[in-house]
Amino acid sequence: EFMLFYTGDYLTYMYLVSGKVVLMTDDGTETLVENPGDVVIQRGNMHAWRNPSTKEWCRWVSVLVDAEPARIKGQSLPDEWLA
């Protein structure tokens, strides 16, 4: 299964409308988001999403807000895409 991990210089609010979705982070953590109305807030972390169902759609609303780059030890994290 192909997964595209990504990060960027923005603050993201994800609001689950229906279905289920799994948030995956580059450290191997997987979090099931399953209740309509659940919100995930992210800033600068490497992540990907997958629908755990082969039969149901997942619908969510995304709001991206421009932000200063996340920093670690004074270094800005670059926008990245990993496959």
Side-chain angles (χ1 to χ4, degrees):
E1 183 175 352
F2 177 78
M3 292 294 147
L4 182 64
F5 285 80
Y6 59 97
T7 186
D9 296 336
Y10 42 82
L11 180 65
T12 307
Y13 297 88
M14 305 291 291
Y15 176 88
L16 184 65
V17 176
S18 65
K20 298 179 182 180
V21 66
V22 176
L23 167 63
M24 300 173 297
T25 56
D26 60 340
D27 67 357
T29 301
E30 293 192 2
T31 303
L32 178 63
V33 182
E34 61 183 324
N35 300 306
D38 283 352
V39 176
V40 176
I41 302 171
Q42 301 183 99
R43 180 172 178 243
N45 64 309
M46 185 66 68
H47 65 283
W49 299 94
R50 74 175 168 82
N51 184 341
S53 175
T54 59
K55 298 178 179 152
E56 291 185 38
W57 285 79
C58 172
R59 298 182 192 274
W60 73 61
V61 175
S62 300
V63 177
L64 282 72
V65 179
D66 191 31
E68 293 294 319
R71 295 180 178 275
I72 296 177
K73 297 182 181 178
Q75 298 278 338
S76 294
L77 296 178
D79 286 349
E80 282 189 282
W81 298 82
L82 300 174

